[in-house]
């Protein structure tokens, strides 16, 4: 890599110092404050730090932290990787990530969906991985169709190679202006935000939801097919396919995932990761052993213990995320649910009404968090019995020793992690 200009070197060094002080004083992991200090001294620091590296940007509503971790783990087979491992996914966090590993030839950056156009423009990233779009923090990020449109405009005319989930119509539409796209059939369990065509507004026929017209005739949709009833917008033919526990590559070779991370969502994340690293020259045979070593991601899926109670921590921030968390949760175990509505969560909790909590019927449910009354009302309307607790500690004390699942949204999750020393 070329030498940074003196001003950028100074800004990077001072940013790292600020990050170190933040960690030493217990104020956080330093990934945001370090980047902010660096950008104050050199506003173009991100561009300079990204120069001469192979940069991968990973964006989605759900799963971007995990997919970033999987891609990073695989790419370490080829060399050093700079990454924002703990989810600081805006420019300040990207500066900290690249600054902390200034000699790494690769950069893998999780990017907030809203910031993707800006970060793509600044870094000139060669690879962009796009996985899903659904409602999340709409008081901050606005309507997801607008986000898809911003992606579409940002990719138009750029040479970046896009790895995109063709099972999500909004992602497909957002990625379709790119010069080169590798399509991955990674699945889409949450479909409530994509029943209408983003191209013309007409109805989308989805697998199991009707028939689609082709060439003047009508054919039944296949398991993963979707197509607009009013225009030509339809699901592209995938290059990679997630098939149960396996991923099928573009040559038809089948690879068993055997991940330690649980659930269908993480198999989808792994499929996206494999397609992404192959675009950088790393085949699945070399990448998979490294993907299989990942057991937790920034506290997600971590198991912690206190007074004989063994808790598994699951993060869920929006309706699509809760659907995936329920897939992973053990129906035989009691469960603690914790919801906040701070800035990083989004202040609006109306999304709770889009989650079908009836799946929890029959298991002990304990409700806590700053917005526990909002969640309690939602559970009461769903007919799900629960116990309301003033604090996480009270919920924990109310449970007998044994295994317990915990589902929390972002700041509630971080508070629980802090109770156990920020387990990772």
């Amino acid at each position: 890599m070329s030498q940074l200009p003196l001003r950028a070197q100074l800004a990077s060094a001072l940013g790292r110092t600020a990050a170190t002080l933040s960690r030493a004083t217990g104020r956080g992991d330093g990934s945001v404050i370090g980047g902010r200090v660096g950008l104050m001294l050199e506003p173009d620091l991100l561009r300079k730090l990204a120069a001469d590296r192979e940069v991968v940007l990973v964006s989605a509503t759900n799963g971007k932290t995990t997919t970033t971790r999987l891609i990073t783990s695989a790419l370490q087979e080829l060399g050093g990787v700079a990454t924002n491992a703990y989810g600081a996914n805006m420019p300040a966090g990207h500066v900290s990530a690249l600054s902390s590993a200034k000699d790494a030839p690769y950069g893998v950056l999780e990017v907030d969906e809203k910031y993707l156009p800006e970060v793509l423009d600044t870094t000139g990233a060669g690879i962009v991985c796009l996985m899903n779009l659904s409602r999340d923090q709409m008081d901050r990020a606005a309507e997801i169709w607008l986000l898809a449109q911003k992606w579409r405009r940002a990719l138009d005319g750029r040479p970046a190679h896009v790895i995109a989930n063709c099972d999500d119509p909004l992602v497909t539409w957002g990625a379709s202006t790119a010069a080169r796209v590798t399509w991955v059939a990674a699945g889409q369990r949450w479909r409530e935000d994509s029943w209408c065509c983003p191209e013309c507004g007409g109805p989308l026929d989805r697998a199991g939801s009707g028939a689609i017209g082709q060439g003047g005739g009508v054919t039944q949709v296949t398991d993963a097919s979707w197509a607009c009833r009013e225009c030509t917008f339809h699901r592209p033919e995938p290059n990679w396919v997630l098939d149960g526990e396996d991923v099928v590559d573009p040559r038809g070779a089948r690879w068993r995932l055997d991940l330690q991370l649980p659930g269908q969502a993480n198999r989808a994340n792994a499929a996206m990761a494999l397609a992404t690293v192959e675009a950088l020259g790393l085949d699945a045979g070399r990448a998979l052993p490294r993907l299989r070593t990942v057991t937790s991601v920034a506290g997600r899926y971590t198991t912690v213990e206190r007074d004989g109670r063994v808790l598994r921590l699951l993060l869920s921030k929006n309706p699509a995320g809760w659907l995936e968390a329920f897939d992973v949760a053990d129906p035989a175990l009691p469960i603690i649910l914790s919801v906040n509505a701070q800035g990083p969560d989004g202040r609006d909790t109306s999304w709770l009404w889009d989650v079908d909590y009836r799946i929890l019927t029959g298991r002990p449910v304990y409700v806590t968090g700053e917005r526990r009354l909002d969640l309690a009302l939602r559970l009461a309307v769903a007919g799900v019995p629960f116990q309301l607790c003033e604090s996480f500690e009270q919920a924990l004390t109310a449970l007998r020793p044994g295994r317990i699942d915990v589902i929390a949204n972002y700041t509630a999750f971080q508070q629980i992690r802090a109770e156990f020393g920020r387990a990772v």
Side-chain angles (χ1 to χ4, degrees):
M1 292 181 61
S2 60
Q3 186 81 355
L4 284 173
L6 184 59
R7 183 185 181 92
Q9 289 184 49
L10 178 61
S12 181
L14 289 175
R16 290 196 300 272
T17 300
T20 300
L21 288 172
S22 178
R23 289 191 293 270
T25 57
R27 295 177 179 271
D29 61 26
S31 55
V32 174
I33 187 62
R36 285 178 178 170
V37 168
L39 287 169
M40 284 176 63
L41 295 170
E42 171 52 89
D44 205 31
L45 184 57
L46 180 55
R47 188 184 308 275
K48 290 176 168 33
L49 287 168
D52 301 323
R53 300 194 209 225
E54 189 72 66
V55 176
V56 178
L57 305 183
V58 181
S59 198
T61 303
N62 293 306
K64 50 187 178 288
T65 302
T66 300
T67 304
T68 297
R69 172 67 178 277
L70 292 171
I71 294 170
T72 298
S73 295
L75 278 185
Q76 287 169 348
E77 183 78 10
L78 301 181
V81 184
T83 188
N84 48 340
Y86 296 104
N89 57 22
M90 299 178 193
H94 303 145
V95 165
S96 285
L98 297 179
S99 180
S100 66
K102 58 184 185 298
D103 296 323
Y106 297 96
V108 181
L109 303 176
E110 170 189 338
V111 185
D112 180 275
E113 309 92 283
K114 185 177 179 179
Y115 281 83
L116 181 65
E118 174 187 338
V119 176
L120 176 60
D121 180 65
T122 303
T123 63
I127 307 286
V128 181
C129 176
L130 304 175
M131 302 183 297
N132 55 74
L133 277 175
S134 64
R135 280 168 284 171
D136 183 51
Q137 299 184 42
M138 290 180 66
D139 53 343
R140 179 187 70 82
E143 169 59 53
I144 53 172
W145 282 32
L146 296 178
L147 286 175
Q149 187 177 68
K150 288 179 180 179
W151 288 6
R152 189 176 170 83
R153 290 171 178 168
L155 292 166
D156 190 13
R158 288 195 172 274
H161 181 177
V162 176
I163 315 298
N165 180 8
C166 65
D167 287 337
D168 187 321
L170 278 172
V171 169
T172 300
W173 188 65
S176 60
T177 58
R180 182 182 178 190
V181 185
T182 293
W183 298 110
V184 183
Q188 186 195 33
R189 297 183 66 194
W190 176 264
R191 297 181 173 183
E192 300 309 312
D193 295 312
S194 53
W195 287 108
C196 296
C197 174
E199 180 68 29
C200 74
L204 287 181
D205 283 319
R206 307 293 301 256
S209 65
I212 58 174
Q214 292 183 344
V218 176
T219 58
Q220 195 67 28
V221 294
T222 60
D223 283 349
S225 294
W226 55 262
C228 179
R229 201 179 299 169
E230 305 292 341
C231 73
T232 59
F233 186 59
H234 64 280
R235 177 180 181 264
E237 188 67 27
N239 307 103
W240 292 74
V241 177
L242 175 63
D243 182 14
E245 299 284 342
D246 298 340
V247 171
V248 182
D249 71 20
R251 294 159 296 283
R254 184 174 289 270
W255 302 91
R256 178 55 57 101
L257 290 173
D258 286 332
L259 301 177
Q260 295 195 63
L261 296 175
Q264 175 69 17
N266 283 318
R267 291 191 287 275
N269 294 337
M272 298 298 300
L274 287 174
T276 300
V277 298
E278 181 169 280
L280 291 164
L282 182 64
D283 63 63
R286 295 172 66 192
L288 265 173
R290 288 187 174 271
L291 266 59
R292 292 168 181 153
T293 66
V294 179
T295 58
S296 68
V297 180
R300 299 156 172 85
Y301 317 109
T302 294
T303 298
V304 294
E305 185 173 356
R306 178 178 292 174
D307 300 327
R309 296 163 179 84
V310 180
L311 298 92
R312 183 172 53 161
L313 308 182
L314 305 174
L315 174 69
S316 185
K317 303 177 289 184
N318 48 54
W322 281 78
L323 182 66
E324 300 299 348
F326 292 153
D327 176 54
V328 172
D330 187 334
L333 299 181
I335 190 165
I336 299 174
L337 309 179
S338 185
V339 171
N340 289 351
Q342 299 180 16
D345 307 303
R347 303 289 185 183
D348 181 4
T349 60
S350 62
W351 59 268
L352 291 170
W353 294 87
D354 295 326
V355 180
D356 188 354
Y357 288 100
R358 290 174 296 178
I359 194 172
L360 301 176
T361 301
R363 61 190 296 185
V365 177
Y366 295 79
V367 175
T368 185
E370 296 169 2
R371 299 303 285 268
R372 56 190 175 276
L373 295 180
D374 293 0
L375 180 53
L377 176 60
R378 177 68 187 95
L379 292 172
V381 170
V384 178
F386 62 91
Q387 182 171 327
L388 189 63
C389 302
E390 293 294 317
S391 65
F392 177 76
E393 186 65 36
Q394 185 184 96
L396 202 56
T397 303
L399 284 158
R400 296 177 180 176
R403 293 167 55 219
I404 303 162
D405 278 333
V406 179
I407 303 178
N409 71 343
Y410 186 74
T411 63
F413 185 85
Q414 301 305 334
Q415 290 168 359
I416 293 168
R417 285 183 67 203
E419 294 237 4
F420 292 92
R422 296 188 73 80
V424 295

